[in-house]
């Protein structure tokens, strides 16, 4: 398999990542980008960030964050981010037990809106994520360590359904032999300082 990854910066404060893959045999692939975002350099953690995800469904995971094959509705759940919600509040934080998110959300059909948006009101910074892929993994950095602190950044990982080849109801990305496949992730950055 041949893979190319190209990065483009635009004058509109956008970073685009384009993936192109070509294989000589049918091959399952699942590319993503694992950048951490903390939109306020004054804070060590990102618990004051607010998240919006344009998704009505998510994948149920086991204790090891692996999908069990069940697609769930976000309605009346802790996974409902259709409106902006603070990460800290939604992470069900306890003083001595931080529990965040490592969950896959299935993109709603409207491709004109970002699949996810992250904002921090003090700095006013916002990052919107657009993608050709069918969903996004949201990871709140609970297990960061070493030079980083837990919840020090949030990952917005657009990708295909995790473990899709083992669950018939999931959308998976299998390259057809000798047919080039392209996907993209685009991060749009903006700033609306609080008044």
């Amino acid at each position: 398999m041949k893979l190319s990854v190209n990065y483009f910066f635009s004058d509109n404060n956008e970073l685009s990542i384009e993936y192109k893959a070509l294989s000589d045999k049918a091959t399952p692939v699942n590319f993503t980008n694992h950048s951490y975002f903390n939109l306020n350099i004054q804070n060590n953690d990102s618990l004051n960030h607010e998240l919006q995800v344009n998704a009505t469904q998510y994948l149920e995971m086991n204790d090891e964050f692996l999908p069990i094959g069940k697609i769930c509705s976000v309605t009346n759940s802790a996974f409902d981010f259709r409106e902006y919600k603070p990460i800290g509040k939604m992470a069900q934080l306890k003083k001595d037990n931080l529990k965040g998110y490592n969950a896959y959300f299935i993109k709603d059909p409207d491709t004109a809106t970002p699949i996810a948006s992250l904002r921090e009101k003090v700095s006013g910074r916002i990052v919107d994520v657009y993608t050709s892929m069918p969903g996004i993994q949201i990871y709140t950095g609970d297990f960061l360590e070493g030079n980083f602190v837990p919840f020090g950044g949030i990952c917005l990982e657009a990708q295909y359904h995790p473990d899709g080849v083992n669950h018939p109801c999931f959308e998976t990305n299998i390259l057809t032999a000798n047919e080039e496949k392209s996907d993209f992730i685009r991060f749009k950055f903006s700033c609306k300082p609080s008044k």
Side-chain angles (χ1 to χ4, degrees):
M1 185 181 75
K2 294 180 180 179
L3 169 68
S4 68
V5 183
N6 292 297
Y7 295 81
F8 303 93
F9 291 97
S10 79
D11 292 334
N12 296 320
N13 298 317
E14 295 176 339
L15 169 62
S16 296
I17 307 171
E18 293 184 2
Y19 303 88
K20 291 185 179 180
L22 181 66
S23 177
D24 61 355
K25 295 181 181 178
T27 307
V29 295
N30 199 355
F31 308 116
T32 190
N33 178 269
H34 193 67
S35 297
Y36 284 89
F37 293 94
N38 184 327
L39 303 178
N40 188 339
I41 60 171
Q42 304 300 320
N43 294 334
N44 284 334
D45 63 53
S46 54
L47 294 174
N48 63 331
H49 287 48
E50 295 180 332
L51 176 69
Q52 180 182 26
V53 182
N54 291 312
T56 55
Q57 296 179 311
Y58 71 99
L59 300 185
E60 185 173 340
M61 306 279 192
N62 63 22
D63 290 340
E64 296 177 339
F65 306 112
L66 297 173
I68 64 170
K70 185 177 179 184
I71 298 173
C72 303
S73 170
V74 301
T75 304
N76 298 321
S77 78
F79 296 88
D80 191 348
F81 285 94
R82 289 175 288 183
E83 302 291 333
Y84 274 110
K85 292 185 180 167
I87 292 293
K89 183 178 179 183
M90 293 301 290
Q92 302 172 352
L93 302 179
K94 298 177 183 177
K95 209 169 195 180
D96 56 350
N97 182 21
L98 298 177
K99 182 181 179 185
Y101 288 86
N102 195 353
Y104 183 81
F105 295 84
I106 300 169
K107 180 171 67 174
D108 284 345
D110 182 5
T111 56
T113 59
I115 186 173
S117 298
L118 185 68
R119 72 182 181 189
E120 201 282 326
K121 286 188 173 181
V122 176
S123 69
R125 293 185 183 108
I126 302 168
V127 58
D128 297 315
V129 185
Y130 298 84
T131 186
S132 58
M133 300 184 209
I136 191 166
Q137 186 84 16
I138 303 292
Y139 174 53
T140 51
D142 320 17
F143 300 105
L144 288 174
E145 58 185 4
N147 293 329
F148 305 97
V149 297
F151 296 92
I154 298 169
C155 287
L156 309 169
E157 303 170 81
Q159 60 182 275
Y160 283 79
H161 293 50
D163 200 26
V165 294
N166 293 314
H167 300 285
C169 62
F170 290 2
E171 185 172 342
T172 189
N173 187 21
I174 297 182
L175 299 183
T176 303
N178 301 313
E179 183 177 334
E180 187 176 73
K181 170 70 173 167
S182 299
D183 276 303
F184 74 87
I185 302 170
R186 185 168 69 250
F187 299 104
K188 181 173 178 59
F189 300 93
S190 58
C191 188
K192 296 178 182 176
S194 58
K195 295 177 181 178

